[in-house]
Amino acid sequence: MTTPFYVPPEQLVKDRADFARKGIGRGRPIVVLQIGSGILLVGENGSSSLRKIGEIYDRIAFAGVGRFNEFETLRVAGVRYADLKGYSYARGDVTGKGLANAYSQTLGQIFSHEMKPFEVDIVVAEVGRTIDGDKLFRVQFDGTLRDATHLAVLGAQEEEITERLEAQYDPEMGLQDALRAACDAIEAATEHTVEVDAWECAILERDATRRSFRRLDESEVAAARS
Amino acid sequence: MTERTTEVGPLRLGEAVPDASFLSVLEHRGASPTWDLGPGTASGMPEATTILALTWPGGVVMAGDRRATAGNVIAHSRVRKVYPADEHSAVAISGTAGMALELIKLFQTELEHYEKIEGTSLSLEGKANFLARMIRGNLALAFQGLIVIPLFCGYDVNEGTGRLFSFDVVGGRYDELHYATTGSGGQEARSFLKGAWSPDLTQDRAVATAIEALVAASEEDAATGGPDIRRGIFPTVVTVTQGGVVELTDDDIASVAASVLEGRP
C-alpha cells in the first residue's frame, strides 16, 4: 500500500504559483494604456493570426499573455458569456466588471482544483464615455482580481515596463504618442528591437457608437514608430 | 434528453460547442428561441408586410414600410423591418413580426459572434446561407402559419459588388440580380420595380425608387403603410456600399418621400 505524501498547503500553493509565474514571465509583454481617445492595447506578437488581444463586446477588450491555448480558451468563453448576456438581456448589461469577476472565479477554481494552474495573466479593459469611466481589470493565474489605473502591463519585464511608462504617462497623450511610448518601453525593457509587423495593436475607441474595438493596421504602427 | 440549463451561467471553459456559431452555443445550452405551438394553427399574430431591395452599380438599397397588421387591424404603425446585419450587410424580414424580430436579433448576434471567435467575418454568401439555415429551422412553424421570410443584401468585399438574396419558406436561397420584394405588398412593389429599375441608377435614384415602390404597394395593399408625413412615420431605408451600411435619417427620407408623393398620380 502506498502512503500519500503530506504536502503542506503553503508549499502546494507556492509550488503552483512558481510554476505559473515561470510560464507567464516568459510571455512577451503587453501594455494596456488609458488615453484621451480610448484604451490602447499594444503587444509584441510574431504571429499575425494567433492573437493575444481580442474584442469581447461593444466596449470591452481582452488581452492575455502566457500559454496561447489557455488564454484563447478564456477569450472564447468570454465572448460566449458576453454575447449570451447581451442577447438575453440588453447590450448595455454586458460589463467589464461582470466578465472580470467571472474570469477571476474560474481561474481561482482552476488554480486550487486542477492538476495544473493556467499559465496566464489577463486584462479586461472597458472603455467609458470619459476617461474616468474607463475600467482596467487585471486577473492573474490564481484568480487574483485587481483594478488598475492608467495602465496595466503583462508578461516579461512587467515591473520595468511599468516604471518606464509611469514616468511619462499623461492621460492627454494622443494615439501616436502613446503607441510610441508603449513600443519604446517594451523594446527598452526587453532589450531587443521589434519589427513593425510584429506589433499587435488595437484600440477601444471612446467615441464609437457601438462596437469600439479596432485593430491598428501596420501603417498606423509604422507612422508612430518613425 | 438534454438537461435544460440557464442561458447565462458562469464562464464555461472548453464548452463542447461544435463550431464558431452563436446558434450552436444556444443549442448546446438548450436555450435556442422556441415557439412551441402544439397542434393547430396560429392566427392573429401581428405580421410585418412589405420589404424590398434593389441593386445599383455601387451597392444595394433596402427599404421597408412600418406597418404590422393582425387580420384587419393595424397592430403597430412604427415597426422596423429593416436592420443592419453587420458592417457590410443588411437584413429585412416579413411575416410574423414577433418571430421575425427575434430572428433578426439572433442573426445579428451570430455574425458578430462568428467574427469575434474566428477573427474574420463570414463571406457574404456564408451569411446568406446561415440565414437560410435559420429559416429552414423554422419550417415546422411555417406550416402552422407562423411564416418568416427575409431579404438579405450586402456588399461583397471579395467580389467588389453589391448582392441581393431572397428566400422562401423552406429556406431556399436565391441570388437576385436587380431587385427583390416580399410581404403582402411585395407583388405590387415588384410590378413597380419592374418598370422603374434600370442598370444605371444612382444611389439617390435607387432610394427614391425604393420609396416610390413602397408607396405604390401601400396604395394597393391595406397591410402596407405609406409615408405618413403628418404623423412623421416614414419607411426605413438603408444603403449598403463599399463604405458599409448607412441608415438614412427620417429627415432624409421625409424629403424624398414628399417629392415622391408629389409626383404620384
Side-chain angles (χ1 to χ4, degrees):
Chain A
M1 200 182 121
T2 53
T3 333
F5 295 96
Y6 172 73
V7 183
E10 295 87 346
Q11 187 64 42
L12 193 76
V13 170
K14 187 178 172 297
D15 286 353
R16 287 177 164 246
D18 287 347
F19 168 78
R21 277 204 198 94
K22 210 157 82 191
I24 297 161
R26 282 194 295 260
R28 295 193 182 152
I30 291 183
V31 168
V32 184
L33 207 58
Q34 284 175 256
I35 55 173
S37 57
I39 297 180
L40 176 66
L41 304 101
V42 180
E44 185 196 344
N45 186 352
S47 164
S48 59
S49 51
L50 306 177
R51 302 293 195 181
K52 300 174 162 187
I53 296 169
E55 173 185 12
I56 298 278
Y57 212 62
D58 290 354
R59 305 187 74 80
I60 304 174
F62 172 99
V65 298
R67 283 180 86 94
F68 176 78
N69 68 319
E70 293 178 348
F71 65 71
E72 176 70 3
T73 306
L74 289 169
R75 185 188 72 86
V76 169
V79 170
R80 286 187 182 141
Y81 166 92
D83 278 347
L84 264 169
K85 199 163 181 189
Y87 173 75
S88 305
Y89 304 116
R91 294 193 79 85
D93 295 322
V94 182
T95 60
K97 186 178 146 213
L99 182 68
N101 251 318
Y103 279 137
S104 160
Q105 296 294 323
T106 307
L107 283 171
Q109 188 76 13
I110 290 171
F111 183 76
S112 48
H113 288 85
E114 297 294 322
M115 278 288 289
K116 97 170 189 53
F118 269 22
E119 297 158 74
V120 294
D121 213 350
I122 61 174
V123 160
V124 174
E126 181 178 24
V127 67
R129 293 284 160 206
T130 63
I131 198 163
D132 295 329
D134 286 353
K135 302 255 168 36
L136 291 184
F137 297 101
R138 174 85 185 269
V139 192
Q140 284 179 300
F141 58 88
D142 59 354
T144 307
L145 172 62
R146 281 181 294 166
D147 55 359
T149 40
H150 310 322
L151 60 95
V153 180
L154 307 175
Q157 312 298 327
E158 180 191 322
E159 273 144 41
E160 194 181 342
I161 298 172
T162 311
E163 253 166 51
R164 281 173 189 275
L165 278 172
E166 290 273 8
Q168 57 186 129
Y169 177 75
D170 170 13
E172 301 298 311
M173 261 195 262
L175 176 59
Q176 281 220 350
D177 290 338
L179 192 54
R180 186 175 303 123
C183 294
D184 287 349
I186 292 176
E187 282 190 334
T190 55
E191 292 173 343
H192 73 302
T193 52
V194 180
E195 295 297 317
V196 168
D197 61 0
W199 289 108
E200 181 181 351
C201 308
I203 183 170
L204 287 170
E205 290 175 311
R206 199 176 298 291
D207 296 335
T209 49
R210 194 164 154 172
R211 291 171 70 182
S212 64
F213 183 88
R214 180 172 74 82
R215 289 192 188 280
L216 304 185
D217 58 35
E218 217 176 291
S219 63
E220 283 173 281
V221 180
R225 301 288 295 150
S226 61
Chain B
M1 204 183 113
T2 55
E3 193 186 336
R4 197 183 160 94
T5 50
T6 48
E7 287 177 32
V8 189
L11 214 56
R12 298 185 194 184
L13 300 190
E15 199 172 5
V17 176
D19 50 25
S21 161
F22 181 70
L23 202 59
S24 303
V25 177
L26 287 180
E27 278 164 11
H28 182 73
R29 299 193 180 191
S32 1
T34 50
W35 291 269
D36 197 351
L37 273 190
T41 46
S43 62
M45 296 295 151
E47 292 195 27
T49 47
T50 312
I51 50 173
L52 59 88
L54 65 152
T55 60
W56 65 282
V60 194
V61 171
M62 189 176 242
D65 73 314
R66 302 290 292 275
R67 182 171 291 179
T69 55
N72 63 335
V73 175
I74 296 175
H76 306 281
S77 49
R78 292 172 196 268
V79 173
R80 262 190 76 174
K81 308 171 188 177
V82 184
Y83 292 83
D86 66 0
E87 235 166 89
H88 279 101
S89 64
V91 61
I93 297 213
S94 67
T96 311
M99 288 166 63
L101 296 176
E102 190 63 28
L103 226 61
I104 287 183
K105 197 170 117 187
L106 195 52
F107 184 57
Q108 289 170 325
T109 309
E110 177 68 39
L111 299 188
E112 185 187 323
H113 186 79
Y114 182 94
E115 191 187 323
K116 287 190 290 198
I117 298 279
E118 293 282 307
T120 54
S121 293
L122 276 169
S123 65
L124 193 67
E125 197 156 331
K127 293 171 196 169
N129 285 338
F130 186 83
L131 188 56
R133 181 180 139 196
M134 287 171 68
I135 299 303
R136 201 154 46 236
N138 188 47
L139 188 59
L141 289 168
F143 281 116
Q144 293 182 296
L146 297 180
I147 294 171
V148 172
I149 296 188
L151 279 180
F152 177 65
C153 71
Y155 192 85
D156 194 326
V157 193
N158 300 328
E159 295 191 10
T161 163
R163 288 175 71 183
L164 171 55
F165 301 91
S166 68
F167 300 82
D168 63 23
V169 75
V170 294
R173 192 213 83 189
Y174 308 93
D175 267 275
E176 302 284 351
L177 275 183
H178 308 319
Y179 53 85
T181 67
T182 81
S184 60
Q187 204 65 37
E188 197 56 39
R190 180 194 294 258
S191 312
F192 177 86
L193 288 173
K194 195 174 205 167
W197 189 86
S198 72
D200 53 359
L201 286 172
T202 61
Q203 177 162 298
D204 288 348
R205 269 315 301 158
V207 168
T209 306
I211 293 175
E212 192 163 7
L214 284 174
V215 171
S218 74
E219 285 167 354
E220 301 296 324
D221 174 36
T224 301
D228 188 334
I229 291 173
R230 189 179 61 80
R231 292 195 291 165
I233 305 173
F234 299 103
T236 319
V237 183
V238 305
T239 62
V240 192
T241 60
Q242 189 168 17
V245 178
V246 177
E247 277 188 77
L248 271 61
T249 63
D250 268 2
D251 290 344
D252 291 339
I253 299 168
S255 64
V256 182
S259 66
V260 163
L261 288 172
E262 193 105 321
R264 293 292 294 171

